[in-house]
Amino acid sequence: MKVKKKKSGAVAVRGHKKPLWKTLRDNKVLLFMCMPAVVFFIVFCYCPLPGVYIAFTNYNFRDGIFGSPFVGLKNFDFLLKSGQLWALTRNTVLYNLVFILLGNVLQITLAIMLNEIKSKYFKKVSQTIMFLPYFISVVLIGAIAFNILNYDTGALNTLIRETGGNPIKIYSMAGVWPFIIIFCQMWQQTGYGSVVYFAAICGIDSSMVEAAEVDGATSWQRIRYIILPSLKPTFIILLLFALGGIMRGNFGLFWNMVGNNSQLFATTDIIETSVYRMMMSQNNFSTSSAVGLYQSIFGFVLVMFSNWVVKKIDPDYALF
């Protein structure tokens, strides 16, 4: 330890930086607990990185990844000239923005409503019921939607026919499908997402809430001035994490709801579904990889920019 005397006469103590091996030794238990996650990301995220090279080649199975002819940015040029990339990006980003913003609002609302319930038994039953849709497969959700909405035997059109009305061809109406998909997403994910906010509410210092009640604060005042400000860090962190995947659409939901129905592509086609069709119909690995690389770079830039903005506003809420 060094002691440095300042000109003003004050004494400043400056300690030596601990060596890396000592830091690792002192935190070996925490590092051991992190090992599964570290191995997971190395195997599934970093080891496949050389495959990015496919996006710059005319890939074929015979020559392999690094033996295929190098074509530079030709695969990206094809996407830009086709005009398809803009439509896919717009749909993917807009859907995810709605999922993130509306989803978080509904999750916070649901968590606050659960917190206001006094009966512990009713609260637990309500949580269980709202949590169940998360475990329902999107394949089953698509089947349920089809049995309700299809033209010939769907429950909705059967009801319309029975009441003397004209059946609706919903699978030909592209304009209504954004609302249907958003509803299904919210129905499946809101209950699960509310658990995080409910846990954050349970972690709020109860003495503040009790003091507010003693001072005569109403339920709305407690929510507005204590609970919502306390949820701000959780909301910002979840928002930053979600923005990183804003270019990653929910493939399972969109594919099982829409499938290959080209009449709905204008409002429901996202990057994942388009890449999947491209792979299945054309075996075009190069263009598909180019789209995937575009998604990753866009998401990385967006996370870095969002974190920079948050850091400028309040560094305590930034990821790094």
Side-chain angles (χ1 to χ4, degrees), residues 136-151:
I136 297 178
S137 169
V138 287
V139 177
L140 183 56
I141 293 175
I144 293 171
F146 180 78
N147 281 281
I148 294 174
L149 303 175
N150 81 81
Y151 182 81

Side-chain angles (χ1 to χ4, degrees), residues 124-175:
K124 290 180 180 179
V125 172
S126 300
Q127 278 184 290
T128 304
I129 294 173
M130 290 182 294
F131 205 79
L132 284 177
Y134 180 77
F135 297 101
I136 297 178
S137 169
V138 287
V139 177
L140 183 56
I141 293 175
I144 293 171
F146 180 78
N147 281 281
I148 294 174
L149 303 175
N150 81 81
Y151 182 81
D152 296 317
T153 59
L156 178 61
N157 280 324
T158 300
L159 180 62
I160 293 175
R161 288 190 185 98
E162 291 294 328
T163 55
N166 296 320
I168 306 171
K169 295 183 178 180
I170 296 180
Y171 279 90
S172 301
M173 301 167 62

Side-chain angles (χ1 to χ4, degrees), residues 164-186:
N166 296 320
I168 306 171
K169 295 183 178 180
I170 296 180
Y171 279 90
S172 301
M173 301 167 62
V176 303
W177 276 90
F179 301 99
I180 296 173
I181 290 175
I182 290 169
F183 172 80
C184 292
Q185 172 77 6
M186 295 300 103

Side-chain angles (χ1 to χ4, degrees), residues 16-56:
H16 287 295
K17 189 177 180 180
K18 188 182 292 187
L20 177 62
W21 68 270
K22 285 188 176 181
T23 303
L24 296 176
R25 183 194 63 187
D26 295 342
N27 298 281
K28 59 178 180 287
V29 176
L30 295 176
L31 292 171
F32 182 75
M33 293 173 64
C34 291
M35 280 304 295
V38 173
V39 172
F40 173 85
F41 282 107
I42 290 175
V43 172
F44 293 101
C45 295
Y46 291 98
C47 289
L49 277 178
V52 170
Y53 184 70
I54 296 176
F56 305 96

Side-chain angles (χ1 to χ4, degrees), residues 5 20 34 42 71 77 81 94 101 103 147 150 153 167 179 200 205 214 221 227 255 273-274 277:
K5 191 170 184 178
L20 177 62
C34 291
I42 290 175
V71 296
D77 188 53
K81 286 183 178 179
L94 289 179
L101 298 178
N147 281 281
N150 81 81
T153 59
F179 301 99
D205 188 0
V214 171
Q221 289 172 331
I227 295 178
W255 182 256
T273 54
S274 177
R277 287 197 309 274

Side-chain angles (χ1 to χ4, degrees), residues 31-309:
L31 292 171
F32 182 75
M33 293 173 64
C34 291
M35 280 304 295
V38 173
V39 172
F40 173 85
F41 282 107
I42 290 175
V43 172
F44 293 101
C45 295
Y46 291 98
C47 289
L49 277 178
V52 170
Y53 184 70
I54 296 176
F56 305 96
T57 65
N58 184 15
Y59 178 77
N60 61 78
F61 291 101
R62 183 186 60 191
D63 298 326
I65 295 177
F66 299 103
S68 299
F70 181 78
V71 296
L73 299 176
K74 185 178 179 181
N75 295 319
F76 297 91
D77 188 53
F78 166 77
L79 289 171
L80 292 173
K81 286 183 178 179
S82 67
Q84 189 180 16
L85 188 62
W86 160 243
L88 295 174
T89 302
R90 179 199 62 202
N91 288 348
T92 306
V93 171
L94 289 179
Y95 272 114
N96 281 324
L97 279 176
V98 175
F99 292 164
I100 293 169
L101 298 178
L102 182 59
N104 277 281
V105 170
L106 292 177
Q107 290 162 16
I108 291 173
T109 304
L110 194 58
I112 292 173
M113 291 172 65
L114 284 173
N115 185 64
E116 293 299 311
I117 296 174
K118 302 302 180 184
S119 172
K120 290 185 179 180
Y121 176 78
F122 184 78
K123 185 183 294 187
K124 290 180 180 179
V125 172
S126 300
Q127 278 184 290
T128 304
I129 294 173
M130 290 182 294
F131 205 79
L132 284 177
Y134 180 77
F135 297 101
I136 297 178
S137 169
V138 287
V139 177
L140 183 56
I141 293 175
I144 293 171
F146 180 78
N147 281 281
I148 294 174
L149 303 175
N150 81 81
Y151 182 81
D152 296 317
T153 59
L156 178 61
N157 280 324
T158 300
L159 180 62
I160 293 175
R161 288 190 185 98
E162 291 294 328
T163 55
N166 296 320
I168 306 171
K169 295 183 178 180
I170 296 180
Y171 279 90
S172 301
M173 301 167 62
V176 303
W177 276 90
F179 301 99
I180 296 173
I181 290 175
I182 290 169
F183 172 80
C184 292
Q185 172 77 6
M186 295 300 103
W187 176 75
Q188 186 185 33
Q189 300 290 335
T190 301
Y192 176 80
S194 65
V195 174
V196 178
Y197 288 109
F198 185 68
I201 292 174
C202 292
I204 297 174
D205 188 0
S206 59
S207 61
M208 291 193 300
V209 179
E210 292 170 359
E213 290 177 349
V214 171
D215 291 338
T218 62
S219 296
W220 168 244
Q221 289 172 331
R222 284 187 282 109
I223 292 170
R224 181 180 178 183
Y225 297 109
I226 298 177
I227 295 178
L228 288 179
S230 299
L231 293 179
K232 184 179 176 182
T234 304
F235 172 75
I236 292 176
I237 291 173
L238 291 178
L239 179 64
L240 289 174
F241 281 136
L243 287 176
I246 199 169
M247 289 292 289
R248 306 285 178 183
N250 188 344
F251 169 78
L253 178 66
F254 282 82
W255 182 256
N256 285 285
M257 294 289 290
V258 178
N260 271 320
N261 189 346
S262 59
Q263 298 180 76
L264 306 180
F265 285 171
T267 58
T268 62
D269 204 18
I270 58 172
I271 292 175
E272 273 75 10
T273 54
S274 177
V275 169
Y276 179 76
R277 287 197 309 274
M278 197 182 300
M279 291 282 293
M280 296 301 292
S281 62
Q282 305 173 16
N283 288 328
N284 194 336
F285 284 89
S286 300
T287 307
S288 303
S289 299
V291 176
L293 181 60
Y294 163 72
Q295 282 180 284
S296 301
I297 293 175
F298 189 97
F300 174 76
V301 172
L302 187 59
V303 169
M304 297 298 292
F305 175 75
S306 302
N307 188 74
W308 176 79
V309 172

